[in-house]
């Protein structure tokens, strides 16, 4: 019986976990609800950060490994259940991220002209669920509430020359809207002071070296005040950069970004459509109104519950111990169930942070296998393919994804990395043109997977499966049970 793991979510943490599972000797089936892989690298990383998106080359290499299979356009939780996946795999590892936005609870949120920065990023990146998001850029000012890296990403894109963006993989609809944009100022409003800015130093450097970024005189004073008291070197570096920013009162010939501090959002202004936002000066009761045609909240992400697994609603993560899902009452591990990435630790860190996060989870998963704690699948590997196709006839495999990928790159015409499809229907049409592998090849591949463990067991490594360890552990457990 080959070792089999299901990984749910084809973003960075899903791919890092897949890589580590493959190295440990598992065959891996990688599931994603979308017809396209890469998660936030495709739909969240801003299009002007193409060098960050190049991590997909690593993911492509992982996807070409022996023992790997894609099950794209297949949603675990609706097309397939957690228990069904466990019947076909030794373990199921969820790397589904934190797909929801934290919502700001003030009057007027939801009015036309309000949205979240992450929705706008998804719209910019051509995510099919956000292709029709109404993004009104007809006003002169956009206000973004919250000053994390997502806010900086959106502000940067809204103030970038569209001709430069035209050489990226930005969605066509977003590029067209940006060409018509009337936006002259994007205000990034934080409720706390400059020293508490949530953006990171590299992102601030990237922003201020390529855009006009300014401060009001009052905010300059706050920066100087914070510099006088701050001892943390990293924060001081950020404050040093802020202290050198230009004055907001100076005239500007191109769209600019203003960083504003000490503003707690109170309500969205406007009757049938957003006309601005009212803040309270943090720590007091004085109000400040700011006109804006678009108000975006950018106050972090939230994980959402996974059907069939426990959920910690306060932290918005699946309760876990080093990636082992635990039942919240008794702290007992939920057999065969694991998490990695933002659904495990919350929405923090960079893409690379997910590598060590996934490594910890896979290390524990392999240890559980070696300790005989994972049940063998009830069905042979060959049965999974038939089962998933029965449930989800439109499931997309590696050949289908390659057809979509090739078509997007071809649409880019050599001038752009790719021109993305933004509708699932278009993606499915293209995937359907992929040559189907001869049935014989599929059967041979799956039979090989079934034999893989008995014919060529992997070399034991610190975090890899020890041949026979699970059987020995189970036999020992049965012996102890018999002696009781
Ligand atoms: P974030 O870094 O957690 O920032 C959230 C912001 O929202 C903070 O300024 C926070 O202010 C503010 N906030 C929270 N609740 C609020 C409320 N009720 N009213 C007003 N403001 C509120 O979130 P993010 O920008 O979504 O980023 C998420 C993660 O992705 C971060 O780890 C980030 O570094 C990462 N990321 C990285 C990149 C990159 O490397 N290029 C790009 C995008 C995202 P307080 O501090 O006062 O709570």
């Amino acid at each position: 019986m080959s070792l089999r793991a299901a990984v749910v979510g084809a973003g960075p943490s899903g791919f890092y976990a897949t890589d580590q599972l493959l190295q440990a000797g598992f065959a891996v089936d990688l599931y994603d609800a979308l017809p396209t892989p890469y998660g936030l690298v495709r739909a969240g990383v801003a299009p002007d950060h193409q060098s960050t998106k190049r991590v997909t080359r690593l993911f492509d290499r992982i996807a070409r490994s022996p023992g790997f299979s894609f099950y794209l356009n297949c949603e675990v939780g609706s097309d397939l259940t957690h228990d069904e996946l466990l019947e076909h795999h030794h373990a199921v590892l969820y790397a589904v991220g934190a797909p929801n936005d934290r919502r700001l609870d003030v009057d007027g949120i939801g009015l036309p002209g309000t949205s979240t920065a992450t929705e706008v990023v998804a719209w910019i990146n051509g995510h099919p669920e956000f292709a029709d998001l109404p993004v009104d850029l007809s006003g002169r000012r956009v206000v973004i509430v919250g000053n994390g890296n997502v806010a900086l990403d959106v502000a940067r894109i809204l103030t970038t020359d569209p001709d430069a963006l035209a050489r990226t993989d930005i969605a066509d609809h977003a590029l067209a809207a940006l060409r018509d944009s009337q936006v002259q100022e994007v205000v990034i409003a934080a409720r706390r002071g400059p020293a508490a800015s949530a953006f990171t130093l590299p992102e601030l450097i990237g922003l201020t070296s390529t855009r006009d970024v300014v401060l009001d005189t009052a905010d300059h004073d706050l920066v100087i005040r914070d510099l006088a008291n701050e001892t943390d070197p990293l924060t001081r570096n950020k404050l040093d950069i802020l202290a050198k920013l230009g004055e907001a009162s100076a005239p500007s010939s191109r769209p600019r970004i203003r960083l504003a501090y000490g503003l707690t959002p109170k309500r969205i202004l406007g009757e049938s459509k957003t006309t601005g936002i009212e803040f309270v000066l943090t720590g007091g009761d004085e109000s400040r109104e700011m006109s804006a045609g678009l108000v975006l909240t950018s106050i972090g992400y939230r994980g959402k519950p996974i059907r069939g697994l426990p959920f910690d609603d306060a932290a918005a993560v699946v309760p876990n111990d080093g990636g082992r899902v635990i039942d919240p009452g008794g702290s007992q591990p939920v057999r065969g169930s694991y998490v990695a990435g933002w659904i495990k630790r919350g929405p923090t860190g960079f893409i690379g942070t997910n590598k060590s996060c996934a490594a910890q989870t896979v290390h524990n998963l392999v240890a559980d296998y070696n300790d005989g704690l994972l049940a063998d699948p009830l069905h042979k590997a060959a049965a999974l393919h038939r089962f998933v196709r029965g449930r989800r006839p439109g499931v997309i495999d590696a050949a289908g994804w390659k057809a979509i990928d090739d078509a997007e790159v071809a649409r880019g015409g050599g001038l752009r990395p790719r021109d993305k499809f933004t509708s699932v229907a278009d993606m499915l049409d293209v995937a359907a043109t992929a040559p189907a592998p001869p049935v014989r090849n599929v059967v041979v591949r799956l039979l090989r997977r079934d034999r893989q463990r008995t014919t060529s067991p992997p070399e034991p490594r610190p975090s890899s499966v020890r041949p026979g360890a699970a059987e020995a552990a189970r036999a020992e457990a049965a012996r102890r049970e018999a002696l009781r």
Side-chain angles (χ1 to χ4, degrees):
M1 162 85 55
S2 66
L3 291 169
R4 279 140 55 190
V7 173
V8 184
S13 52
F15 267 103
Y16 286 127
T18 295
D19 192 25
Q20 288 148 6
L21 284 163
L22 288 166
Q23 288 183 40
F26 280 78
V28 180
D29 299 312
L30 180 56
Y31 296 79
D32 202 288
L34 283 176
T36 52
Y38 309 147
L40 276 186
V41 176
R42 181 176 164 105
V45 173
D48 60 338
H49 279 179
Q50 288 297 317
S51 57
T52 308
K53 289 186 187 252
R54 264 182 229 132
V55 70
T56 58
R57 291 181 191 170
L58 168 69
F59 300 160
D60 288 341
R61 268 205 303 281
I62 296 168
R64 285 194 295 270
S65 306
F68 175 89
S69 301
F70 263 136
Y71 287 91
L72 302 171
N73 194 38
C74 179
E75 188 163 5
V76 175
S78 54
D79 296 321
L80 311 172
T81 68
H82 174 70
D83 287 345
E84 286 167 343
L85 275 189
L86 266 184
E87 287 180 9
H88 287 268
H89 301 88
H90 289 86
V92 182
L93 187 157
Y94 290 89
V96 290
N100 292 345
D101 293 297
R102 287 189 60 220
R103 296 275 155 178
L104 185 67
D105 188 18
V106 299
D107 282 353
I109 282 289
L111 262 185
T114 61
S115 192
T116 70
T118 51
E119 287 168 347
V120 171
V121 171
W123 171 79
I124 288 169
N125 271 314
H127 187 299
E129 280 168 34
F130 298 92
D132 297 325
L133 188 78
V135 180
D136 184 351
L137 303 178
S138 62
R140 291 183 68 76
R141 182 183 292 131
V142 174
V143 173
I144 306 178
V145 174
N147 71 355
N149 284 338
V150 173
L152 262 54
D153 278 346
V154 173
R156 211 179 54 247
I157 296 297
L158 293 181
T159 53
T160 298
D161 177 357
D163 285 341
L165 291 172
R167 296 191 288 275
T168 73
D169 63 347
I170 188 171
D172 291 341
H173 57 240
L175 184 61
L178 288 165
R179 287 200 188 282
D180 286 343
S181 170
Q182 300 301 309
V183 175
Q184 289 302 310
E185 181 177 74
V186 179
V187 177
I188 299 178
R191 58 182 170 178
R192 294 193 283 160
S197 294
F199 49 71
T200 53
L201 182 63
E203 296 308 305
L204 178 65
I205 293 171
L207 186 77
T208 52
S209 56
T210 56
R211 300 287 178 283
D212 287 346
V213 185
V214 296
L215 288 173
D216 273 346
T217 308
D219 287 323
H220 259 301
D221 292 345
L222 291 179
V223 173
I224 303 304
R225 182 203 66 186
D226 282 1
L227 255 180
N229 301 321
E230 188 59 52
T231 53
D232 173 57
L234 200 66
T235 309
R236 286 193 66 84
N237 280 342
K238 285 201 234 174
L239 292 169
D240 281 334
I241 293 173
L242 295 179
K244 293 188 192 110
L245 294 179
E247 275 290 337
S249 53
S252 177
S253 56
R254 58 175 184 160
R256 68 180 192 178
I257 296 165
R258 175 154 65 90
L259 303 178
Y261 289 96
L263 298 172
T264 298
K266 186 176 175 196
R267 68 185 173 107
I268 303 297
L269 303 171
E271 294 292 323
S272 56
K273 180 182 174 322
T274 304
T275 57
I277 176 166
E278 181 182 346
F279 294 100
V280 176
L281 297 195
T282 305
D285 46 20
E286 199 182 320
S287 280
R288 269 295 143 76
E289 290 192 358
M290 210 181 270
S291 65
L294 182 63
V295 175
L296 304 176
T297 55
S298 185
I299 63 170
Y301 296 83
R302 262 186 76 81
K304 73 173 189 190
I306 295 170
R307 204 169 289 168
L309 289 188
F311 190 66
D312 176 345
D313 199 51
V317 297
V318 170
N320 70 91
D321 180 8
R324 291 179 176 106
V325 176
I326 51 172
D327 111 60
S331 311
Q332 285 303 310
V334 179
R335 183 146 104 161
S337 308
Y338 299 84
V339 283
W342 281 5
I343 194 63
K344 169 186 171 187
R345 65 176 201 276
T348 57
F350 301 97
I351 290 173
T353 317
N354 294 300
K355 189 171 180 180
S356 47
C357 178
Q360 182 197 40
T361 299
V362 171
H363 176 86
N364 287 334
L365 185 160
V366 170
D368 289 351
Y369 176 78
N370 286 333
D371 289 344
L373 299 175
L374 302 183
D376 284 337
L378 297 180
H379 311 286
K380 293 198 162 206
L384 175 71
H385 189 67
R386 241 186 350 263
F387 172 69
V388 178
R389 282 228 170 261
R391 277 296 175 77
R392 183 68 170 161
V395 66
I396 289 178
D397 60 8
W401 158 237
K402 183 171 185 315
I404 297 171
D405 190 24
D406 288 349
E408 287 188 343
V409 172
R411 278 157 50 109
L415 302 170
R416 312 171 60 182
R418 68 181 59 240
D419 183 359
K420 287 178 185 163
F421 294 108
T422 58
S423 102
V424 168
D426 289 347
M427 295 176 192
L428 297 186
D429 284 349
V430 175
T433 65
V439 174
R440 197 182 145 276
N441 287 9
V442 175
V443 172
V444 168
R445 185 169 59 84
L446 292 170
L447 284 175
R448 271 201 199 122
R449 267 175 62 160
D450 261 345
R451 286 199 208 110
Q452 186 180 326
R453 278 287 297 140
T454 45
T455 54
S456 57
E459 288 296 307
R461 282 184 293 271
S463 190
S464 78
V465 166
R466 293 196 308 275
E471 291 80 358
R474 273 191 224 124
E476 173 63 15
R479 192 180 66 80
R480 282 212 206 107
E481 188 63 27
L483 288 176
R484 277 213 282 164

